[in-house]
């Protein structure tokens, strides 16, 4: 029987996620070997070098894809939110696993929630999406860039360097660290990243790997795939004409004629003072179309103009002032 070589990054979360996939395959009777791959993102994270440019998209993905192309591994597991929306020649996204809770969470000192943190509290996040949405809440918090694994980030709260950090709930759930969470953020306040909470499995295209693809397709979850395809269509369409931070979340809900998709999305200026926020619904079998049309409507409403420093879109992550923000009077809130 063929041994399936599963590529994984070396971090605790990556290995845990890859092991989850390996165990699902082993339960079907397959032999699976984990192969550790080091990415440029891992190297810069180890040296605490910030990821602030648009070119950082996919930085944790490219090494695994290179290993697939080189036939060093047969499949790779990614956090779906790390995958670029454009296709990679010769690589197929063959399975998307059932999704964990996609929401963001707060890990704060003294068990505090985001709203309980005093103005001027230092909150760590490396995400412009989180920075913009938290600034839009007008809490007067100081947002500062942070990198490192879960232990590193939480330790900065314990040491007093930060009053709180923002993390993805899904990652903490997978490594059994939910007891660290002091608040789960409502998507009404902070929409997650497209694909957050979902795991993606990639393999090579082509007849030579048809047997691997056939094995992996059994792991695919149709409802999760529809939701994340809609979210990624929103992102892909907005990226074509918009450099603003973007959050989006799609849910499968019960409509008048059966299950359908409900998609919410927001694009914001880097300082959170302006935003375009919309929602849409549509059939599950047209997930990409639902997401694309929603994003096109957002662009028509001005999403392409949402930036407060077009020359340096990543700077807001590392150099964000903590002055209180007034409620965004120009916010275009529609049916979301």
């Amino acid at each position: 029987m063929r041994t399936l070589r599963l590529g994984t990054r070396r971090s605790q979360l990556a290995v845990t996620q890859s092991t989850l996939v390996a165990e699902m395959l082993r339960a079907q009777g397959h032999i699976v070997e984990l192969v550790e791959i080091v990415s440029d993102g891992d190297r810069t994270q180890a040296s605490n070098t910030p990821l602030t440019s648009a070119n950082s998209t996919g930085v944790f993905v490219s090494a695994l894809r290179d290993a697939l192309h080189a036939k060093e591994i047969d499949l790779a597991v990614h956090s779906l939110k790390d995958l670029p929306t454009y296709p990679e020649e010769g690589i197929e996204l063959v399975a998307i696993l059932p999704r964990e809770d996609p929401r963001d969470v707060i890990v704060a000192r003294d068990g505090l929630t985001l709203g309980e943190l005093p103005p001027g509290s230092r909150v760590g996040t490396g995400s412009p999406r989180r920075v913009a949405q938290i600034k839009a809440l007008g809490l007067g918090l100081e947002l500062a860039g942070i990198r490192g694994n879960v232990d590193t980030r939480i330790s900065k709260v314990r040491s007093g360097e930060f009053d709180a950090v923002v993390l993805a709930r899904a990652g903490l759930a997978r490594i059994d660290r939910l007891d660290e969470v002091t608040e789960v953020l409502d998507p009404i306040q902070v929409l997650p990243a497209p694909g957050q909470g979902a795991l993606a499995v990639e393999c090579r295209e082509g007849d030579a790997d048809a047997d691997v693809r056939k094995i992996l397709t059994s792991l695919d979850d149709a409802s999760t795939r529809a939701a994340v395809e809609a979210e990624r269509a929103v992102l892909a369409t907005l990226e074509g004409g918009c450099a603003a931070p973007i959050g989006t979340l799609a849910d499968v809900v019960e409509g008048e004629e059966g299950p359908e998709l409900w998609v919410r999305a927001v694009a914001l200026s880097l300082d959170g003072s302006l935003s375009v926020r919309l929602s849409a619904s549509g059939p599950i079998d047209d997930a990409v179309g639902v997401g694309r049309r929603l994003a096109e409507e957002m662009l028509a409403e001005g999403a392409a103009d949402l930036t407060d420093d077009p020359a340096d879109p990543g700077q807001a992550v590392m150099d964000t002032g903590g002055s209180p923000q007034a409620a965004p009077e120009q916010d275009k809130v529609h049916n979301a």
Side-chain angles (χ1 to χ4, degrees):
M1 180 180 291
R2 176 177 179 176
T3 297
L4 297 173
R5 297 165 298 164
L6 193 163
T8 179
R9 292 170 52 211
R10 291 181 176 178
S11 72
Q12 179 191 11
L13 179 57
V15 171
T16 299
Q17 293 177 162
S18 296
T19 300
L20 174 64
V21 175
E23 289 176 348
M24 294 173 71
L25 292 169
R26 288 167 182 153
Q28 297 179 2
H30 303 291
I31 301 171
V32 183
E33 172 192 359
L34 292 188
V35 179
E36 292 186 348
I37 306 292
V38 179
S39 72
D40 288 340
D42 293 311
R43 296 186 185 96
T44 60
Q45 183 159 278
S47 62
N48 202 33
T49 303
L51 286 176
T52 58
S53 72
N55 292 331
S56 65
T57 301
V59 69
F60 292 115
V61 173
S62 59
L64 290 171
R65 285 179 166 175
D66 288 345
L68 276 172
H69 284 302
K71 299 185 177 181
E72 297 169 359
I73 59 176
D74 302 302
L75 64 147
V77 176
H78 311 278
S79 293
L80 184 59
K81 70 175 183 177
D82 292 339
L83 283 184
T85 56
Y86 50 85
E88 169 82 1
E89 185 176 357
I91 301 294
E92 181 178 351
L93 175 52
V94 69
I96 299 173
L97 272 61
R99 192 180 206 171
E100 267 283 357
D101 188 328
R103 293 175 294 177
D104 285 322
V105 298
I106 298 294
V107 176
R109 61 173 176 84
D110 305 322
L112 297 175
T113 65
L114 196 63
E116 292 170 341
L117 289 167
S121 295
R122 186 172 169 84
V123 178
T125 174
S127 162
R129 171 188 61 83
R130 290 168 175 156
V131 168
Q133 291 187 87
I134 292 173
K135 277 181 162 289
L137 299 175
L139 300 175
L141 303 173
E142 178 187 348
L143 282 298
I146 188 171
R147 292 198 66 198
N149 59 28
V150 170
D151 283 328
T152 298
R153 297 185 189 210
I154 292 178
S155 71
K156 292 180 184 293
V157 176
R158 304 291 177 247
S159 69
E161 183 177 347
F162 287 87
D163 295 290
V165 292
V166 192
L167 301 165
R169 186 190 183 282
L172 292 176
R174 291 191 178 111
I175 60 173
D176 197 25
R177 296 286 295 273
L178 286 178
D179 58 331
E180 308 274 3
V181 173
T182 59
E183 182 184 14
V184 179
L185 295 177
D186 192 313
I188 292 175
Q189 294 179 305
V190 179
L191 278 170
Q196 186 161 304
L199 296 182
V201 185
E202 291 188 325
C203 69
R204 287 180 294 274
E205 292 180 331
D207 293 341
D209 287 286
D211 57 335
V212 176
R213 286 202 307 281
K214 183 177 180 180
I215 291 169
L216 298 179
T217 53
S218 66
L219 305 181
D220 193 61
D221 183 75
S223 293
T224 300
R225 179 177 281 272
V228 300
E229 283 184 345
E231 294 168 12
R232 285 167 60 79
V234 170
L235 178 61
T237 305
L238 289 178
E239 281 182 334
C242 171
I246 297 161
T248 181
L249 179 62
D251 294 294
V252 176
V253 299
E254 192 64 31
E256 293 182 359
E257 299 180 1
E260 65 179 21
L261 280 174
W262 177 46
V263 190
R264 293 171 280 175
V266 63
L268 307 97
S269 60
L270 295 170
D271 66 359
S273 62
L274 298 171
S275 69
V276 174
R277 188 182 302 267
L278 290 170
S279 69
S281 60
I284 292 177
D285 59 5
D286 186 30
V288 172
V290 173
R292 182 185 300 121
R293 289 188 292 273
L294 174 58
E296 289 171 347
E297 186 176 353
M298 293 174 70
L299 290 172
E301 291 286 349
D305 301 323
L306 295 174
T307 177
D308 58 5
D309 187 2
D312 190 4
Q315 188 64 25
V317 185
M318 306 308 298
D319 186 17
T320 54
S323 58
Q325 295 286 339
E329 295 179 353
Q330 300 180 63
D331 191 11
K332 296 179 179 177
V333 181
H334 298 269
N335 59 341

